[in-house]
Structures are given as structure tokens and as C-alpha cells.
Amino acid sequence: MATEADLVSLGVVGALSVFAYYVTDYYIPALGDMFIQARLFGRDLNKSSDAKVPEALGVVAGMVYLVTRILYLMIASLADVLAGYQLKKFYHDECAVHAIALMFFLGFADDVLNLKWRHKIVLSTLASFPLVTNFPGLTKIIFPKPLRGVLGHEIDIGILYYIYMSMLAVFCTNAINILAGVNGLEAGQTFVIAVSVVVFNVVECFVYQHLPDQHLFSIFLFLPFVAVTAALLKHNWYPARVFVGDTFCYFAGMTFAAAGILGIFSKTLLLFFIPQVINFLYSVPQLFHIIPCPRHRMPRVNSAGLLGMSYTEFAVDELSGLGQLFVHILRVFRLAHFEKLDEGKRVKMNNLTLINFVLYVGGPRHERTLTQILLIIQLCGTITAFAIRYPLAWMFY
């Protein structure tokens, strides 16, 4: 049952979140020219205009978010010292802020320095340590009811569970980044997932009253995050006036990981990333360079002003055995578009992203329409996640 202090604290976080939205909404356009002068800009490859678009404006959202979290901790401390009133504080507040701040700065470094993938993976793993070492839950896995007669009720996997959580943090920080390339998609998918996580935590905390402290912590973590993401989405929506940059993708991913790990719902969190998981699995042959992967895999605008698939070209017989196997599977199951080149010596195949797959299935689309379709897919993923988490979970657990 929520106490008076919990509700008052929730009201303070809500007020700070409203403040965070308006501050972010104001400073994103206000700082745009400054970013362009600092050469932090890009050009929208899917537009006819050659205008400079400020990049890495996720810095503003991330900075406002961190300031908001720190402000709440300051208000809670001052309320205790000056008025003797104890607002809700969590012992793992600081480690969540530390992990998010580390990824925030890593993202900005990537925007400025264009870090290599191996560096980003290593640094993402290191940034997850404050979360993993402060994990408040158990390292046991409960088996589904049909398997308990054979495997027992549960098994403690010990350190493997910590490795899983560290890998989860790495996945979250990169999953949004590789499902990107059209206006509004990075911020849009983040907003849908964040709202879904808030709804899930509200249900768990106030309806089922399951681990209320952990889920209340996640709500506190996510309300200002939803606010700054909404403000960023407003300016990143088609036609984008700013780009979010890697800063936002990494900061957002670590915020999800912090809530999932410290809120003890890391497996449920993955359910909200169903489209991102599908995109990752579909992209594996190119991400691991089993099939040639160009630097940019985003869709390309055609002569009609619509977005169509982007392609990679290669000779099948020059691929490794594993690469040829992937090409065979993609052809047999019609999971990609192929065209023969040079009298069949080479082939042209669409880049393996969920965005290109949607265009492969549905044909060229206007950029705004494409983003809307992808966000509808994200929403369907959320509905599926809730269906798995409640009706199906009750049947099997």
C-alpha cells in the first residue's frame, strides 16, 4: 500500500517532470545554432534541402534529465533537514544516476569522436557495473510449470545472471541506435517503450502491490525521462529540426537498463523491446560482417519523393560458407529482396533492417508514414508484451 510519503514524493517527481519537459522544449531550438557553430550538425539525406540540421541534441534531453534527478535528491535531503519530512529515497538512486551519466558521456564522445564499435561495446559493459553490482534481487530462474517435474522449481545460475544483466545493458544501449534512420523513429520508439514501462510499473506497484519499492523507484526514474523524450520527439518529428544523436540512444538505453535491473524486471523489460530484438536478429549477418554492411543502411529517397529500400552489393561465391547459408535462408523464406547484377555474378540485396523489411513488404512510403508504421509495430510489440507478461505468464508460472 502506498504511503503518504510515497504519494507526496510522486507528486514532486511529477512536478519536476513537467519542469523538465518545458526546459528541454525551450533549450533544444535555442541551442541549435550553437551546435552548428561547433560543427555538430548533419544533413538529412532523405530531403532535397541541403540545410544543416543540428545533431546530438539528445545532449539537452540527457542533461535536463540528470539535473532533474539530482534536483529531486536535493529536495528530498532539504525536506528532511529543514522540515523533518522524509520524501521517498532509494539506496540505489546514486548508482542509477552514475550508470546513466557514464553512458550519456559515452554517447556524446561517440557523436564527437565517432568511436569504433569495439570501444563502444567495452565501455557500455563497464558502464553497466554500477547497476550489476547493486542488483537487489535473486539470481534464480524459475522454470515453467510443464518443466518442473523434470527440472525442478528453480535453479540458481549465480554469476551467469550478472553476465546476463550486463549483456542486457549493452543490448539496450545499442538496440535503439541500430533501429534508426528516419525522422522521429529513435525518439518515437523510446517514448512508446518508456510509457509502456511506466504503465507496467504502475500496475505492479499500485494494483498487484508486487515489489512496490522497486517498481516505485522505476516510476520515479521514468517520469522525467518520458518528459524529456516527449520534448525531444516534438523537434525530431518529421520534418526533423534536430537529430537526436548517439548521445540520446545510449542515455535512453542505459535508463531502460537501470530501471529493469534495479527494479527487478529485466526479463519483462526485454518483452517491450520485441521489435528491437527482431531488428537485431534480422541484422546479425550484416552487424557481424558475415554479409557486406555499408556504413549507412537507412532507406533512400526515390524520384517520387518516397523512401525505398537501401541495398548492399556482393558476389555470393565470395562469401564465407556461413554467409552463403544466410543468403540461402533469406532467399528461401523470402526475407529479403534480391536482384542479379553482372549476368548473375553479383547480387543486390536490401540492407537487413526492420525499416527496409517494412519497405520490402509494403513498398515505398513517405517518410512520415514509414515512421508511423514503425511506431505502430512498436505499439503492437507493447500489446504482445503485456499479453505474454500477464495471461500467458499466469498459465505457465
Side-chain angles (χ1 to χ4, degrees):
M1 183 68 68
T3 64
E4 178 190 339
D6 292 342
L7 297 177
V8 172
S9 302
L10 196 57
V12 173
V13 173
L16 287 172
S17 300
V18 174
F19 166 78
Y21 172 83
Y22 284 107
V23 171
T24 306
D25 184 43
Y26 173 79
Y27 276 105
I28 284 177
L31 296 177
D33 289 340
M34 182 186 297
F35 276 69
I36 291 176
Q37 291 170 10
R39 303 188 65 80
L40 288 172
F41 64 87
R43 290 181 170 83
D44 198 329
L45 300 178
N46 293 325
K47 306 289 190 304
S48 58
S49 170
D50 198 38
K52 298 176 181 178
V53 181
E55 198 163 10
L57 264 296
V59 168
V60 178
M63 188 59 70
V64 173
Y65 174 81
L66 289 171
V67 168
T68 303
R69 290 298 303 146
I70 294 169
L71 274 177
Y72 174 77
L73 296 176
M74 289 176 58
I75 291 171
S77 297
L78 289 173
D80 188 15
V81 172
L82 299 180
Y85 190 88
Q86 293 189 345
L87 292 175
K88 191 74 174 181
K89 292 179 69 175
F90 303 90
Y91 77 91
H92 39 241
D93 262 321
E94 288 80 3
C95 65
V97 171
H98 291 163
I100 293 169
L102 282 171
M103 284 310 300
F104 171 78
F105 288 116
L106 172 62
F108 187 65
D110 190 24
D111 279 324
V112 175
L113 304 175
N114 196 20
L115 300 174
K116 295 184 180 299
W117 269 105
R118 60 178 178 270
H119 298 146
K120 291 187 278 190
I121 296 297
V122 171
L123 292 172
S124 299
T125 304
L126 293 175
S128 71
F129 286 177
L131 306 179
V132 174
T133 54
N134 286 276
F135 174 61
L138 302 175
T139 56
K140 296 179 180 179
I141 293 178
I142 299 175
F143 293 114
K145 290 176 182 178
L147 300 179
R148 289 177 188 173
V150 178
L151 301 176
H153 184 269
E154 61 188 28
I155 183 174
D156 191 340
I157 61 173
I159 193 172
L160 293 178
Y161 201 88
Y162 291 96
I163 295 173
Y164 152 73
M165 289 187 292
S166 186
M167 292 174 63
L168 172 69
V170 174
F171 171 76
C172 288
T173 53
N174 290 280
I176 296 170
N177 201 28
I178 63 173
L179 183 54
V182 292
N183 291 175
L185 182 56
E186 296 100 312
Q189 64 184 296
T190 301
F191 182 77
V192 173
I193 299 172
V195 172
S196 304
V197 169
V198 170
V199 171
F200 166 72
N201 281 285
V202 168
V203 170
E204 290 291 301
C205 182
F206 297 105
V207 178
Y208 296 112
Q209 298 180 17
H210 175 247
L211 298 175
D213 273 1
Q214 283 76 16
H215 289 294
L216 191 62
F217 164 75
S218 297
I219 295 171
F220 282 22
L221 207 61
F222 264 90
L223 286 182
F225 178 71
V226 169
V228 299
T229 301
L232 183 59
L233 177 59
K234 174 183 174 181
H235 297 279
N236 183 237
W237 189 254
Y238 181 91
R241 280 87 72 196
V242 301
F243 294 146
V244 302
D246 292 335
T247 305
F248 176 74
C249 296
Y250 292 160
F251 142 68
M254 188 54 79
T255 305
F256 285 121
I261 293 171
L262 299 177
I264 320 181
F265 63 95
S266 59
K267 295 182 286 295
T268 300
L269 177 67
L270 269 179
L271 293 176
F272 293 118
F273 277 80
I274 289 175
Q276 286 71 27
V277 171
I278 293 172
N279 182 62
F280 171 74
L281 293 176
Y282 187 53
S283 299
V284 160
Q286 285 192 308
L287 292 179
F288 292 94
H289 295 281
I290 301 169
I291 292 175
C293 180
R295 176 174 174 77
H296 295 294
R297 301 189 297 161
M298 65 183 68
R300 292 289 183 261
V301 65
N302 60 23
S303 57
L306 302 177
L307 293 187
M309 295 177 288
S310 62
Y311 294 90
T312 182
E313 298 179 6
F314 54 88
V316 177
D317 56 3
E318 293 179 2
L319 298 178
S320 65
L322 184 58
Q324 293 181 33
L325 176 62
F326 273 118
V327 169
H328 178 70
I329 292 172
L330 291 168
R331 275 178 164 161
V332 168
F333 291 97
R334 298 183 179 181
L335 296 175
H337 174 76
F338 289 91
E339 291 181 20
K340 292 182 179 180
L341 302 173
D342 299 334
E343 299 179 348
K345 296 178 181 179
R346 296 173 60 81
V347 298
K348 183 167 76 170
M349 181 192 76
N350 65 273
N351 285 308
L352 303 177
T353 67
L354 182 60
I355 303 173
N356 282 308
F357 184 77
V358 168
L359 293 171
Y360 166 55
V361 173
R365 289 286 186 273
H366 187 276
E367 186 168 1
R368 183 193 292 109
T369 305
L370 177 60
T371 302
Q372 291 169 343
I373 292 172
L374 291 164
L375 293 184
I376 289 171
I377 292 173
Q378 189 71 56
L379 188 58
C380 291
T382 288
I383 295 170
T384 304
F386 277 110
I388 294 172
R389 178 60 181 81
Y390 290 110
L392 292 180
W394 288 335
M395 291 173 59
F396 287 95
Y397 291 94

